[in-house]
Amino acid sequence: MFNECAEQALHAMRGHQGLVFFLDLDRFKLWNDSLGHAAGDALLREIADRLGSCTRPEDVVGRLSSDEFAVLMPHCAPDQMRFLAQRMLDAIAEPFSINGVMTTPNACVGVCTYPEDGTDIETLLRHADQAMYAAKGQGSQRWERYRPEMGKISQERADMERELRTTLAAGGLQLHYQPQICSSGAQRLYGVEALARWQHPEWGWVPPPRFIAVAEDSGLIHTLTSWLIDAACTQLATWRAQGVPMPHVSINLSTNNFHLPDFAMQVQQTLLRHGLNGQDLMLEITESVMLDSSPATLNNLQTLHAMGMRLSMDDFGTGYSSLSYLHRLPISELKLDKSFVQDVTVSSAASALTRSVLNIATSLGMTVVAEGVETQEQADWLARHGCPVLQGYRFAKPMPATDIGPWVQQHAERHAAAPLSHPND
């Protein structure tokens, strides 16, 4: 019905300009899964009403599928798109309550122009959709205008999704591991962080942020995470069978992983299958997990903690209001982002913030791991100010599993190895 009405409107506005908006709600699946389909339907009706309040009687508004909406505004010039897109975003972002649960809906919007970007509704929707994905790539509550080069980007993303799906099915990803070192005494090994790597036969090494973003958008992140956890547990069990003294492995998780109701049980089953226990994994989460108040996420976090698995807050201090959420979750480790570390010896602001994080962590009984340590000067400053664990190129780059055993032995020989322990032991 939207397409039919839109085509009629386009036919009637020959010789005039118009705008097409493509809107996609953020985290709608989470709302739907955690509170039920009735709540999801209520939210969709509310969004439709809010879009109606932003439009005129002659505009065409429709829900295309799931959480996607489209708006055709005849007789609107391109210089109006900024105001109109922002008005829609602001209207959608008004707080909404159902069943006693308050949420703030967010969306991303793509915009294209008629007739410049297309003369039929199918082309216009495709182009507005590509602009919407470009907006999503920048975060939440964003809008973007369509540009012709976005078509190429969209095709590249589709190609990457297809290739990643094939690679995951064939077991073609790899894990590299970066050591984490205790800053005091004999610089004992604290653990290693497992990092996914993808070497494509034509593209070469694909940057992790690119293929992980594609995995999250396409729903492949659950398959990727299951592989990552199993591969890391397999390797940890192998190292220990070989006599490599490995305290634990850190694994990065996506916010989307916690939306699966049985995610914690899946992790536990993998550990048991490899003869490991909860202390053998450090699960790195981002601040977006802290801000996610859905029952599924909170239940998974509490269950993982009850199983003995420790949680690490990755990229601490770079996102939202972390401090107000720290006390709510069972966090045992904070990872100090490399943006602080790289300036800690040259910027008074970076050094002051780093000292504050170290003081907060100490008072809360948390361990701090400083990422991106590249120079001895940085390592000395961090050690002097009580940062217990260091990670970065100053000590080792991420390396294949086969290189870890020899590296551990060489590192121990260099630093007169002592029995392994955690900084808080």
Side-chain angles (χ1 to χ4, degrees):
M1 184 178 292
F2 173 83
N3 287 347
E4 290 179 6
C5 294
E7 285 291 0
Q8 293 174 10
L10 291 175
H11 181 75
M13 57 187 278
R14 301 290 184 188
H16 299 276
Q17 292 181 309
L19 300 174
V20 173
F21 299 81
F22 195 105
L23 300 89
D24 183 84
L25 299 181
D26 294 337
R27 304 199 307 164
F28 174 72
K29 187 176 185 300
L30 166 63
W31 177 274
N32 218 26
D33 292 346
S34 60
L35 294 178
H37 290 262
D41 290 346
L43 178 60
L44 291 175
R45 287 194 296 270
E46 178 67 19
I47 296 301
D49 288 342
R50 294 180 183 187
L51 288 177
S53 70
C54 297
T55 53
R56 307 162 300 179
E58 63 267 33
D59 298 333
V60 184
V61 185
R63 173 171 166 255
L64 302 183
S65 64
S66 183
D67 58 350
E68 297 175 341
F69 292 81
V71 179
L72 168 63
M73 289 188 161
H75 308 290
C76 284
D79 60 4
Q80 296 175 273
M81 69 170 61
R82 176 183 294 275
F83 167 75
L84 294 170
Q86 193 60 53
R87 184 167 69 174
M88 292 180 193
L89 288 173
D90 291 343
I92 289 172
E94 288 293 323
F96 176 65
S97 176
I98 184 169
N99 297 337
V101 178
M102 182 67 71
T103 187
T104 301
N106 288 317
C108 284
V109 179
V111 194
C112 67
T113 63
Y114 169 90
E116 179 183 353
D117 298 323
T119 55
D120 62 272
I121 194 58
E122 182 179 344
T123 301
L124 289 165
L125 285 177
R126 184 173 69 252
H127 290 167
D129 184 29
Q130 292 169 359
M132 184 275 295
Y133 269 102
K136 267 192 178 295
Q138 301 176 43
S140 185
Q141 284 293 101
R142 304 285 186 139
W143 72 275
E144 270 288 346
R145 177 177 180 170
Y146 169 76
R147 300 185 301 277
E149 60 267 26
M150 287 177 178
K152 180 181 178 182
I153 295 172
S154 180
Q155 184 59 51
E156 289 175 350
R157 197 175 188 87
D159 292 343
M160 183 169 291
E161 178 183 338
R162 184 184 64 252
E163 290 295 308
L164 180 59
R165 193 179 299 276
T166 301
T167 299
L168 283 169
L173 293 184
Q174 307 172 35
L175 279 184
H176 284 191
Y177 300 87
Q178 186 171 33
Q180 300 167 324
I181 306 301
C182 295
S183 64
S184 61
Q187 294 193 2
R188 295 186 296 267
L189 182 66
Y190 173 72
V192 293
E193 179 180 2
L195 300 162
R197 295 290 185 262
W198 180 18
Q199 187 173 28
H200 189 274
E202 295 181 19
W203 305 335
W205 290 103
V206 182
R210 287 188 62 192
F211 71 80
I212 290 173
V214 169
E216 290 185 325
D217 288 345
S218 64
L220 288 172
I221 191 65
H222 301 302
T223 303
L224 190 155
T225 301
S226 294
W227 165 82
L228 188 154
I229 294 173
D230 184 71
C233 288
T234 299
Q235 187 57 59
L236 180 56
T238 300
W239 279 327
R240 290 181 174 173
Q242 295 171 344
V244 178
M246 184 59 63
H248 69 260
V249 175
S250 292
I251 295 173
N252 292 277
L253 299 179
S254 166
T255 307
N256 294 343
N257 296 141
F258 291 88
H259 299 167
L260 295 176
D262 61 345
F263 175 66
M265 299 308 299
Q266 292 178 16
V267 177
Q268 185 185 47
Q269 290 168 6
T270 304
L271 283 168
L272 293 174
R273 192 165 62 247
H274 294 284
L276 303 173
N277 59 55
Q279 289 291 310
D280 292 324
L281 287 185
M282 179 73 76
L283 305 178
E284 297 191 14
I285 62 176
T286 60
E287 291 182 343
S288 59
V289 176
M290 294 172 65
L291 296 169
D292 188 343
S293 60
S294 73
T297 295
L298 296 176
N299 288 339
N300 275 314
L301 288 170
Q302 296 297 340
T303 303
L304 289 168
H305 178 65
M307 292 173 179
M309 276 168 268
R310 291 165 295 158
L311 298 176
S312 174
M313 180 55 56
D314 198 14
D315 300 334
F316 182 76
T318 62
Y320 307 97
S321 54
S322 309
L323 296 181
S324 63
Y325 288 87
L326 268 185
H327 70 284
R328 300 186 186 181
L329 297 177
I331 304 296
S332 61
E333 178 184 280
L334 297 180
K335 297 202 77 176
L336 185 65
D337 187 70
K338 60 184 179 182
S339 61
F340 293 106
V341 173
Q342 66 185 11
D343 294 331
V344 77
T345 61
V346 295
S347 166
S348 58
S351 61
L353 288 169
T354 300
R355 286 194 300 269
S356 297
V357 171
L358 291 169
N359 290 334
I360 291 169
T362 299
S363 65
L364 295 176
M366 299 176 182
T367 298
V368 176
V369 178
E371 294 186 285
V373 181
E374 297 184 353
T375 69
Q376 187 60 47
E377 187 180 13
Q378 292 167 350
D380 290 342
W381 190 99
L382 290 162
R384 189 165 62 251
H385 288 84
C387 184
V389 184
L390 310 177
Q391 176 182 350
Y393 284 13
R394 169 63 186 84
F395 306 99
K397 295 181 179 181
M399 64 187 82
T402 51
D403 294 348
I404 286 290
W407 184 92
V408 170
Q409 183 176 355
Q410 294 167 8
H411 179 79
E413 291 171 354
R414 284 197 305 269
H415 296 279
L420 291 170
S421 65
H422 294 295
N424 291 335
D425 286 353

